[in-house]
Amino acid sequence: MEHSPAIAQALTEVGPRLKRLRTERGVTLSALAQATGISKSTLSRLESGQRRPSLELLLPIAQAHQVPLDELVGAPEVGDPRVRLTPRRAHGNTVLPLTRQPGPLQAFKMVLPASRDTPNLCTHEGYEWLYVLAGRLRLVLADHDLTMGAGEAAEFDTRLPHWFGTTGEGPVEVLSLFGRQGERMHVRAKPTARASG
């Protein structure tokens, strides 16, 4: 079957995109093979472009990475600029991605439950900006323990020990901007041990 130049180009970009996504997340071929049930050699051939992508291969990979299939194949934009808000659950929080494209900055709306009120400080590369939409946010940053209300914002270097959550009085809605390291930490990663501060 012959494809249009745009489709042929999209197909040749699938392999490098799959490899980039896997390596950015620090996932080995072996771990991805175990998560998807696809052999390591098939995954390797798919990433190198030696194997044609198919739905049978791409759907389990998209599910393992928890990304839409569009992100794997680089589906062309159809002209609608609206972001389809698809809530995800991460560590008991509801996270709504507000950006579609991978890039240096990602935006999220987060709804933190009242039960997220016990500080568990962490550090990672990056920089973060928070804006409280509703509720009362508790931000612990190095030696500071702050309470922020709706309309207040904070920005900080995430290499400092930090944690944010609720005061325990009720849920909090927050807008958050951060780079990839922050996205992995807050949206996808497993909780880490408390950093010394």
Side-chain angles (χ1 to χ4, degrees):
M1 173 190 291
E2 261 190 57
H3 297 292
S4 72
I7 291 174
Q9 181 66 29
L11 288 171
T12 61
E13 292 172 356
V14 170
R17 186 176 287 110
L18 291 174
K19 184 170 186 172
R20 187 170 50 251
L21 180 65
R22 180 180 60 78
T23 55
E24 282 173 354
R25 293 175 178 212
V27 177
T28 64
L29 277 173
S30 299
L32 187 58
Q34 186 175 5
T36 60
I38 300 168
S39 75
K40 187 175 162 183
S41 63
T42 298
L43 290 170
S44 178
R45 289 196 324 269
L46 193 58
E47 288 183 1
S48 68
Q50 296 172 355
R51 173 88 187 243
R52 289 199 75 123
S54 67
L55 277 177
E56 292 80 12
L57 295 173
L58 295 177
L59 286 172
I61 295 170
Q63 187 174 23
H65 286 311
Q66 297 182 353
V67 297
L69 189 58
D70 289 0
E71 192 171 319
L72 295 185
V73 297
E77 293 294 323
V78 293
D80 187 347
R82 293 175 294 180
V83 176
R84 307 264 187 285
L85 300 181
T86 306
R88 289 187 272 180
R89 300 283 294 170
H91 317 306
N93 306 317
T94 302
V95 180
L96 292 112
L98 301 177
T99 44
R100 287 189 294 205
Q101 300 298 323
L105 275 182
Q106 297 292 303
F108 295 89
K109 176 181 177 184
M110 303 174 84
V111 181
L112 314 177
S115 58
R116 183 186 163 117
D117 62 352
T118 304
N120 182 16
L121 277 70
C122 64
T123 60
H124 53 90
E125 288 294 318
Y127 203 78
E128 187 152 357
W129 177 87
L130 299 170
Y131 178 81
V132 182
L133 295 168
R136 291 170 53 80
L137 179 80
R138 181 176 175 201
L139 172 63
V140 179
L141 179 64
D143 297 331
H144 302 285
D145 193 335
L146 309 166
T147 301
M148 299 167 53
E152 290 189 278
E155 59 180 326
F156 53 91
D157 185 328
T158 56
R159 291 175 295 184
L160 293 171
H162 66 281
W163 170 89
F164 60 88
T166 73
T167 59
E169 302 163 1
V172 178
E173 292 185 30
V174 180
L175 283 181
S176 180
L177 294 174
F178 41 63
R180 279 195 197 289
Q181 298 89 351
E183 181 186 359
R184 279 198 295 271
M185 181 58 64
H186 295 297
V187 181
R188 296 191 176 101
K190 295 179 181 170
T192 57
R194 182 181 173 99
S196 60

Short mmCIF file of all heavy atoms in Angstrom, two decimals, residues 11 24 30 33-34 38-39 51-52 64 70 85 88 96 110-111 116 130 135 141 151-152 157-158 163 174 187:
data_model
loop_
_atom_site.label_atom_id
_atom_site.label_comp_id
_atom_site.label_asym_id
_atom_site.label_seq_id
_atom_site.Cartn_x
_atom_site.Cartn_y
_atom_site.Cartn_z
N LEU A 11 4.79 7.89 9.67
CA LEU A 11 5.16 6.51 10.00
C LEU A 11 6.66 6.39 10.29
O LEU A 11 7.05 5.65 11.20
CB LEU A 11 4.77 5.57 8.86
CG LEU A 11 3.27 5.30 8.72
CD1 LEU A 11 2.98 4.52 7.44
CD2 LEU A 11 2.74 4.57 9.94
N GLU A 24 13.08 9.11 27.89
CA GLU A 24 12.79 10.27 28.75
C GLU A 24 12.19 9.84 30.07
O GLU A 24 12.36 10.49 31.10
CB GLU A 24 11.82 11.23 28.05
CG GLU A 24 12.47 12.09 27.00
CD GLU A 24 11.47 12.92 26.21
OE1 GLU A 24 10.24 12.74 26.41
OE2 GLU A 24 11.91 13.75 25.40
N SER A 30 13.48 -3.95 28.48
CA SER A 30 13.01 -5.13 29.23
C SER A 30 11.77 -4.80 30.05
O SER A 30 10.81 -5.58 30.07
CB SER A 30 14.11 -5.63 30.16
OG SER A 30 15.23 -6.02 29.42
N ALA A 33 8.85 -4.36 27.72
CA ALA A 33 8.43 -5.66 27.21
C ALA A 33 7.57 -6.38 28.25
O ALA A 33 6.53 -6.95 27.92
CB ALA A 33 9.65 -6.51 26.85
N GLN A 34 7.98 -6.30 29.50
CA GLN A 34 7.22 -6.94 30.57
C GLN A 34 5.85 -6.27 30.75
O GLN A 34 4.85 -6.95 30.92
CB GLN A 34 8.01 -6.86 31.89
CG GLN A 34 7.36 -7.63 33.01
CD GLN A 34 8.23 -7.64 34.26
OE1 GLN A 34 9.27 -7.01 34.32
NE2 GLN A 34 7.79 -8.37 35.26
N ILE A 38 4.98 -7.42 24.70
CA ILE A 38 5.63 -7.40 23.39
C ILE A 38 7.10 -7.73 23.61
O ILE A 38 7.72 -7.20 24.53
CB ILE A 38 5.49 -6.02 22.72
CG1 ILE A 38 4.01 -5.66 22.53
CG2 ILE A 38 6.22 -5.97 21.40
CD1 ILE A 38 3.77 -4.21 22.15
N SER A 39 7.67 -8.60 22.77
CA SER A 39 9.05 -9.01 22.98
C SER A 39 10.00 -7.81 22.88
O SER A 39 9.74 -6.84 22.17
CB SER A 39 9.47 -10.09 21.97
OG SER A 39 9.67 -9.51 20.70
N ARG A 51 10.64 -2.31 12.02
CA ARG A 51 9.32 -2.94 12.11
C ARG A 51 8.26 -1.86 11.94
O ARG A 51 8.34 -0.80 12.56
CB ARG A 51 9.18 -3.62 13.48
CG ARG A 51 7.83 -4.18 13.81
CD ARG A 51 7.70 -5.61 13.29
NE ARG A 51 6.35 -6.10 13.47
CZ ARG A 51 6.02 -7.12 14.23
NH1 ARG A 51 6.97 -7.76 14.90
NH2 ARG A 51 4.79 -7.52 14.32
N ARG A 52 7.26 -2.12 11.10
CA ARG A 52 6.18 -1.14 10.87
C ARG A 52 5.28 -1.08 12.09
O ARG A 52 4.91 -2.11 12.65
CB ARG A 52 5.37 -1.54 9.66
CG ARG A 52 6.17 -1.33 8.38
CD ARG A 52 5.25 -1.27 7.21
NE ARG A 52 4.57 0.02 7.21
CZ ARG A 52 4.60 0.87 6.21
NH1 ARG A 52 5.29 0.58 5.14
NH2 ARG A 52 3.95 2.00 6.26
N ALA A 64 0.89 1.41 28.45
CA ALA A 64 2.00 1.29 29.42
C ALA A 64 2.55 2.66 29.81
O ALA A 64 2.88 2.90 30.96
CB ALA A 64 3.11 0.41 28.85
N ASP A 70 -2.44 9.24 19.93
CA ASP A 70 -2.02 10.38 19.10
C ASP A 70 -0.60 10.82 19.40
O ASP A 70 0.14 11.22 18.51
CB ASP A 70 -2.94 11.59 19.31
CG ASP A 70 -4.31 11.39 18.72
OD1 ASP A 70 -4.55 10.31 18.14
OD2 ASP A 70 -5.14 12.30 18.83
N LEU A 85 -9.64 17.75 28.12
CA LEU A 85 -9.23 17.50 29.50
C LEU A 85 -9.57 16.06 29.87
O LEU A 85 -10.74 15.70 29.95
CB LEU A 85 -9.92 18.47 30.44
CG LEU A 85 -9.64 19.95 30.19
CD1 LEU A 85 -10.37 20.81 31.20
CD2 LEU A 85 -8.15 20.23 30.26
N ARG A 88 -6.50 12.32 35.17
CA ARG A 88 -5.74 11.14 35.57
C ARG A 88 -5.67 11.15 37.09
O ARG A 88 -5.72 12.20 37.71
CB ARG A 88 -4.32 11.20 35.01
CG ARG A 88 -4.25 11.00 33.53
CD ARG A 88 -2.83 10.90 33.07
NE ARG A 88 -2.33 12.24 32.80
CZ ARG A 88 -1.12 12.52 32.38
NH1 ARG A 88 -0.26 11.56 32.18
NH2 ARG A 88 -0.74 13.75 32.14
N LEU A 96 -5.29 17.13 35.70
CA LEU A 96 -5.80 17.41 34.36
C LEU A 96 -4.71 18.10 33.56
O LEU A 96 -4.37 19.25 33.82
CB LEU A 96 -7.03 18.33 34.43
CG LEU A 96 -8.25 17.69 35.03
CD1 LEU A 96 -8.57 18.35 36.36
CD2 LEU A 96 -9.40 17.84 34.09
N MET A 110 -4.52 20.64 39.19
CA MET A 110 -4.50 19.53 40.14
C MET A 110 -5.56 19.77 41.21
O MET A 110 -5.73 20.89 41.68
CB MET A 110 -3.12 19.42 40.79
CG MET A 110 -1.99 19.26 39.79
SD MET A 110 -0.35 19.30 40.56
CE MET A 110 -0.21 17.61 41.06
N VAL A 111 -6.28 18.71 41.56
CA VAL A 111 -7.23 18.76 42.66
C VAL A 111 -6.68 17.81 43.73
O VAL A 111 -6.60 16.60 43.53
CB VAL A 111 -8.65 18.34 42.22
CG1 VAL A 111 -9.60 18.42 43.40
CG2 VAL A 111 -9.14 19.20 41.06
N ARG A 116 -4.53 14.80 51.72
CA ARG A 116 -3.11 15.04 51.36
C ARG A 116 -2.60 16.19 52.23
O ARG A 116 -2.45 17.32 51.81
CB ARG A 116 -2.98 15.40 49.88
CG ARG A 116 -1.51 15.59 49.46
CD ARG A 116 -1.43 16.07 48.03
NE ARG A 116 -0.14 16.63 47.72
CZ ARG A 116 0.70 16.15 46.82
NH1 ARG A 116 0.39 15.09 46.14
NH2 ARG A 116 1.86 16.74 46.61
N LEU A 130 3.15 27.60 41.04
CA LEU A 130 1.84 27.17 41.51
C LEU A 130 0.91 28.37 41.64
O LEU A 130 1.34 29.44 42.08
CB LEU A 130 1.95 26.52 42.90
CG LEU A 130 2.81 25.28 43.06
CD1 LEU A 130 2.98 24.94 44.54
CD2 LEU A 130 2.19 24.11 42.32
N GLY A 135 -9.58 26.82 47.69
CA GLY A 135 -9.12 26.11 48.88
C GLY A 135 -7.88 26.76 49.47
O GLY A 135 -7.48 27.86 49.08
N LEU A 141 8.64 24.52 51.88
CA LEU A 141 9.77 24.73 50.99
C LEU A 141 10.99 25.03 51.85
O LEU A 141 11.07 26.10 52.48
CB LEU A 141 9.47 25.90 50.04
CG LEU A 141 10.57 26.28 49.05
CD1 LEU A 141 10.84 25.15 48.07
CD2 LEU A 141 10.17 27.55 48.30
N GLY A 151 -6.00 32.71 44.62
CA GLY A 151 -5.43 33.91 44.02
C GLY A 151 -3.98 34.13 44.34
O GLY A 151 -3.36 35.06 43.80
N GLU A 152 -3.38 33.29 45.18
CA GLU A 152 -1.96 33.45 45.51
C GLU A 152 -1.13 32.50 44.65
O GLU A 152 -1.58 31.42 44.28
CB GLU A 152 -1.71 33.16 46.99
CG GLU A 152 -2.27 34.23 47.90
CD GLU A 152 -1.82 34.03 49.34
OE1 GLU A 152 -2.44 33.21 50.04
OE2 GLU A 152 -0.85 34.70 49.74
N ASP A 157 12.63 26.80 42.99
CA ASP A 157 13.57 25.84 42.42
C ASP A 157 13.29 24.50 43.09
O ASP A 157 13.34 24.39 44.32
CB ASP A 157 14.99 26.32 42.73
CG ASP A 157 16.06 25.47 42.07
OD1 ASP A 157 15.85 24.24 41.91
OD2 ASP A 157 17.11 26.02 41.74
N THR A 158 12.99 23.47 42.30
CA THR A 158 12.61 22.18 42.87
C THR A 158 13.80 21.38 43.39
O THR A 158 13.61 20.28 43.90
CB THR A 158 11.82 21.35 41.83
OG1 THR A 158 12.63 21.21 40.66
CG2 THR A 158 10.51 22.01 41.50
N TRP A 163 7.28 20.29 49.32
CA TRP A 163 6.05 19.49 49.31
C TRP A 163 4.90 20.47 49.29
O TRP A 163 4.99 21.56 49.86
CB TRP A 163 5.97 18.64 50.58
CG TRP A 163 4.63 17.97 50.77
CD1 TRP A 163 4.25 16.76 50.31
CD2 TRP A 163 3.51 18.48 51.51
NE1 TRP A 163 2.96 16.49 50.69
CE2 TRP A 163 2.47 17.54 51.43
CE3 TRP A 163 3.28 19.67 52.21
CZ2 TRP A 163 1.24 17.72 52.03
CZ3 TRP A 163 2.04 19.85 52.81
CH2 TRP A 163 1.04 18.88 52.72
N VAL A 174 -5.34 23.65 42.21
CA VAL A 174 -4.09 24.37 41.92
C VAL A 174 -3.76 24.28 40.44
O VAL A 174 -3.96 23.23 39.82
CB VAL A 174 -2.92 23.73 42.72
CG1 VAL A 174 -1.62 24.44 42.45
CG2 VAL A 174 -3.21 23.69 44.19
N VAL A 187 3.23 13.66 38.52
CA VAL A 187 2.14 13.06 37.76
C VAL A 187 2.33 11.57 37.55
O VAL A 187 1.39 10.82 37.55
CB VAL A 187 2.00 13.77 36.39
CG1 VAL A 187 0.86 13.18 35.59
CG2 VAL A 187 1.76 15.26 36.60
#
